[in-house]
């Protein structure tokens, strides 16, 4: 950073990744999250890539080594057990090796792989890694477009709030209310509250419902068709769908680089279907903001969250989103709050219900920058830099006074510093056309 202690922070960010390195994978935060998380790892690889490319590729390859035979890539890989975390491998009981959870997370991998390839100093190593990863990425996307879109509608469904990566977002309040914990819900003891103040974490009522869904999926032996048919929580998440559409576009670029023509045609079909379906299903008529859709009730979810701006990151999105984002950012000292400050659901310190998340800012700002909304992209970058410089590599931050919250020495916050904040102008602008098909 220019004269704001950036050198020191770069070193500290690298030290966070090194300290959280468990040999081939990086834990999000020692203690609180002691395993490999799917989207964390992909974004963390972008940080590693700034100072150790071999280690960056290894991060993604380790994640994909846990891919299921049907193409699904689990949201947590339990390389070794750690009793300090709940729910661990014995609760999920998926019977996989390496042990893993039985649900997925937003598919940022293909986009991260494309960015790593384009930024690579060692091109040969990068191309070799992309060649190995490409069939696995394709299989994961194919899984999303079939197992999670069995009728070929153009949107993918999500069966658990944890799959969205935005666990207790107010967008899940209404759909989660329809989940009734059974009287025989296995008793459990939360471990997250030994690390973080309960006021900054999901509530007990939410946790009971999360565990109800896990218990159901376990009973269904993680059969994808049964999970979609039976889950009482079934939503179309704007973040997952925007991230998948963007990742499909990036996968198409990778297919071109590798001369994979058949794959490229297949991906084009997915992109066309999503482009035709998503805006109609998700965009709020009054503002263009994408909101979740509750398939069990057959109606949009009212709650507005920052995930809605990922429409731009997906290469879609209404021009009105710029005005909405400026107003939203204008309500807080630090942008972008995960929920608008004037909203009754806003809770400035509780996880995904108000705080600023560096990693969400990174993706949302990319969408702004690619649409030429540089004032907004700069505001998010500046604010993210100020928050981290002021409070360290925390998990999330209070948007009103900047207090650092949740876990400390957080890997993806360090990676966001390395891959976004600590970059000269020329390296952080938009990619070449994010949509190779237009
Ligand atoms: C929480 C977050 C999720 C993240 C995980 C590990 O569950 O909601 O997005 O992947 O922690 O950091």
């Amino acid at each position: 950073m220019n004269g704001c202690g950036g050198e020191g922070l770069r070193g500290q960010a690298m030290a966070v990744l090194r300290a959280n390195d468990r040999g081939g994978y990086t834990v999000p935060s020692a203690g609180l999250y002691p395993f490999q998380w799917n989207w964390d790892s992909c974004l963390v690889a972008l940080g590693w890539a700034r100072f150790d490319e071999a280690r960056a590729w290894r991060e993604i390859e380790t994640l994909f080594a846990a891919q299921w035979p049907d193409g699904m890539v689990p949201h947590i890989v339990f390389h070794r057990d750690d009793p300090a975390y709940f729910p661990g491998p014995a609760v999920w009981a998926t019977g996989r090796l390496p042990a893993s959870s039985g649900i997925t997370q937003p598919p940022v991998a293909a986009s991260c792989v494309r960015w790593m390839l384009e930024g690579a100093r060692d091109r040969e190593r990068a191309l070799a890694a992309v060649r190995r990863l490409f069939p696995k990425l394709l299989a994961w996307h194919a899984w999303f477009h079939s197992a999670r879109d069995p009728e070929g509608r153009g949107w993918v469904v999500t069966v658990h709030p944890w799959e969205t990566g935005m666990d207790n977002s107010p967008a899940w309040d209404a759909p989660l209310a329809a989940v009734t914990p059974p009287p025989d819900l296995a008793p459990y003891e939360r471990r997250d509250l030994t690390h973080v103040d309960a006021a900054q974490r999901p509530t007990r009522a939410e946790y009971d419902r999360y565990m109800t869904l896990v218990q159901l999926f376990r009973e269904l032996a993680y059969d994808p068709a049964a999970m979609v048919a039976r889950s009482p929580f079934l939503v179309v998440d704007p973040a997952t769908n925007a991230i998948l559409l963007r990742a499909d576009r990036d996968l198409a670029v990778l297919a071109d680089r590798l001369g994979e023509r058949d794959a490229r045609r297949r991906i084009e079909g997915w992109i066309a279907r999503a482009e035709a379906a998503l805006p109609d299903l998700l965009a709020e008529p009054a503002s263009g903001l994408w909101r979740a859709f509750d398939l069990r009730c057959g109606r949009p979810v009212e709650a507005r969250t920052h995930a809605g701006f990922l429409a731009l990151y997906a290469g879609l999105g209404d021009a009105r989103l710029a005005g909405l984002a400026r107003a939203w950012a204008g309500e807080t000292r630090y942008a972008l709050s995960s929920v608008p400050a004037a909203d009754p659901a806003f809770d400035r310190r509780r996880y995904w219900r108000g705080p600023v998340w560096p990693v969400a800012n990174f993706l949302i700002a990319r969408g702004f920058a690619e649409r030429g909304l540089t004032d907004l992209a700069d505001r998010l970058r500046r604010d993210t830099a100020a928050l981290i410089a002021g409070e360290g590599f925390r998990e999330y931050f209070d948007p009103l006074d900047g207090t650092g919250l949740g876990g400390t020495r957080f890997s993806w916050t360090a990676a966001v510093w390395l891959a976004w904040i600590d970059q000269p102008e020329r390296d952080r602008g938009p990619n070449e056309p994010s949509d190779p098909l237009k």
Side-chain angles (χ1 to χ4, degrees):
M1 281 258 303
N2 326 319
C4 321
E7 266 311 313
L9 278 158
R10 178 192 305 159
Q12 287 170 36
M14 287 162 51
V16 167
L17 296 194
R18 288 195 177 113
N20 290 341
D21 185 3
R22 296 291 176 272
Y25 69 97
T26 314
V27 298
S29 176
L32 183 60
Y33 298 117
F35 308 112
Q36 183 173 28
W37 261 258
N38 185 326
W39 75 326
D40 294 65
S41 253
C42 298
L43 293 154
V44 161
L46 299 178
W48 278 113
R50 296 294 173 176
F51 62 103
D52 187 344
E53 289 185 356
R55 180 62 189 77
W57 290 113
R58 191 155 170 233
E59 183 80 29
I60 307 226
E61 301 208 58
T62 307
L63 174 66
F64 277 84
Q67 184 167 36
W68 287 21
D70 67 358
M72 200 273 280
V73 184
H75 98 297
I76 307 177
V77 188
F78 305 108
H79 295 283
R80 36 182 136 117
D81 202 359
D82 187 328
Y85 182 84
F86 178 88
V91 177
W92 285 98
T94 57
R96 304 280 159 176
L97 268 179
S100 74
S101 72
I103 56 174
T104 195
Q105 252 189 340
V108 287
S111 301
C112 295
V113 166
R114 177 189 170 186
W115 298 329
M116 281 163 58
L117 175 66
E118 287 175 355
R121 288 173 295 276
D122 187 337
R123 303 276 306 167
E124 229 165 88
R125 188 206 326 259
L127 263 177
V130 172
R131 248 182 227 112
R132 286 192 300 274
L133 283 166
F134 183 80
K136 301 178 183 187
L137 291 164
L138 187 68
W140 190 21
H141 287 214
W143 173 85
F144 260 114
H145 290 292
S146 53
R148 293 308 180 83
D149 181 12
E151 292 165 18
R153 308 294 289 269
W155 60 70
V156 299
V157 302
T158 291
V159 297
H160 196 296
W162 289 340
E163 289 200 313
T164 70
M166 303 185 185
D167 309 8
N168 71 338
S169 161
W172 315 137
D173 291 358
L176 207 54
V179 177
T180 312
D184 67 342
L185 180 65
Y188 64 92
E189 190 195 332
R190 286 174 66 172
R191 307 310 299 266
D192 55 325
L193 302 182
T194 59
H195 302 282
V196 177
D197 185 341
Q200 298 170 24
R201 295 285 305 175
T203 63
R204 174 84 198 188
E206 283 161 341
Y207 243 82
D208 280 353
R209 289 173 169 79
Y210 301 152
M211 294 317 301
T212 301
L213 292 169
V214 171
Q215 192 164 305
L216 170 67
F217 301 154
R218 196 177 56 216
E219 282 159 20
L220 298 173
Y222 301 97
D223 172 63
M227 285 163 74
V228 169
R230 298 272 307 278
S231 176
F233 179 94
L234 195 73
V235 302
V236 182
D237 168 33
T240 302
N241 279 274
I243 286 169
L244 179 61
L245 173 51
R246 169 55 182 261
D248 277 337
R249 299 188 199 282
D250 292 322
L251 194 62
V253 172
L254 296 177
D256 279 346
R257 299 280 150 86
L258 300 179
E260 294 276 357
R261 290 174 180 220
D262 291 346
R264 162 78 194 219
R265 266 192 297 278
R266 203 168 160 207
I267 300 164
E268 280 173 22
W270 296 334
I271 293 173
R273 266 200 331 231
E275 285 185 335
L278 293 177
D280 281 354
L281 186 75
L282 300 180
E284 180 185 48
S287 69
L289 187 73
W290 282 14
R291 294 177 307 174
F293 193 91
D294 183 345
L295 287 163
R296 288 286 175 245
C297 300
R299 59 167 182 257
V301 170
E302 293 295 321
R304 290 172 150 199
T305 77
H306 60 170
F309 293 107
L310 289 170
L312 299 165
Y313 172 81
L316 298 174
D318 198 296
R320 289 174 300 167
L321 288 179
L324 181 66
R326 289 188 188 109
W328 193 305
E331 286 173 5
T332 58
R333 178 152 165 219
Y334 299 98
L336 194 65
S337 59
S338 35
V339 171
D343 193 297
F346 176 75
D347 190 341
R348 60 193 280 192
R349 298 203 164 173
R350 199 183 286 278
Y351 217 32
W352 294 97
R353 304 181 75 88
V356 177
W357 285 73
V359 71
N361 272 4
F362 169 65
L363 299 175
I364 294 167
R366 209 170 182 105
F368 288 149
E370 287 171 357
R371 269 305 177 83
L373 303 170
T374 43
D375 63 316
L376 283 165
D378 288 348
R379 166 88 198 268
L380 265 55
R381 182 173 172 277
R382 239 188 358 261
D383 288 3
T384 307
L387 288 166
I388 296 174
E391 296 278 301
F393 301 100
R394 299 299 300 264
E395 189 177 11
Y396 42 93
F397 298 86
D398 183 325
L400 302 182
D401 67 10
T403 301
L405 304 166
T408 54
R409 296 174 68 70
F410 223 85
S411 294
W412 66 9
T413 308
V416 161
W417 185 276
L418 292 165
W420 184 36
I421 309 295
D422 186 45
Q423 289 308 308
E425 186 73 47
R426 63 168 196 285
D427 288 347
R428 70 179 132 83
N431 267 349
E432 312 130 46
S434 71
D435 179 1
L437 304 176
K438 280 186 180 156

